[in-house]
Amino acid sequence: QVQLVESGGGLVQVGGSLRLSCIASGIIFSGYVVDWYRQTPGKQRELVASINVGGRTTYADSVKGRFTISRDNAKSTVYLQMTSLKPEDTAAYYCNVLGYGRAYWGQGTQVTVSS
């Protein structure tokens, strides 16, 4: 059974930092592209950052220079380091893994940035 469990969300002030984690089980993690998405009520889920199997990363323009995605295949974990947080970063953050023709989602973790 595949499971993705996100953690690390919470309430933070503007300009603060948080590190999200997503631990995967039930898959050969190293063979999957891993993405972080975010979603606010009434809006579509937005791709925030992605890391491929070779470690290449891409970011949404809105988070470039502030967020860093990384992965530790030995721990089957992906991280999203978020710095210089803004109120518009407030959202539920989800990790997604894609590979071997399948995609899986975590349950999400809430990030709230207060001004």
Side-chain angles (χ1 to χ4, degrees), residues 25-42:
S25 59
I27 58 172
I28 302 172
F29 182 76
S30 59
Y32 285 75
V33 173
V34 189
D35 303 321
W36 283 100
Y37 284 78
R38 66 186 180 189
Q39 188 172 27
T40 54

Side-chain angles (χ1 to χ4, degrees), residues 13-72:
Q13 291 189 331
V14 169
S17 300
L18 282 175
R19 190 176 81 153
L20 306 183
S21 300
C22 175
I23 301 175
S25 59
I27 58 172
I28 302 172
F29 182 76
S30 59
Y32 285 75
V33 173
V34 189
D35 303 321
W36 283 100
Y37 284 78
R38 66 186 180 189
Q39 188 172 27
T40 54
K43 292 190 176 181
Q44 283 194 324
R45 204 164 282 192
E46 172 194 20
L47 178 61
V48 174
S50 180
I51 185 165
N52 71 7
V53 296
R56 188 170 72 90
T57 59
T58 56
Y59 299 92
D61 287 343
S62 58
V63 307
K64 276 181 184 174
R66 300 188 299 119
F67 290 11
T68 303
I69 188 172
S70 61
R71 65 191 298 163
D72 184 338

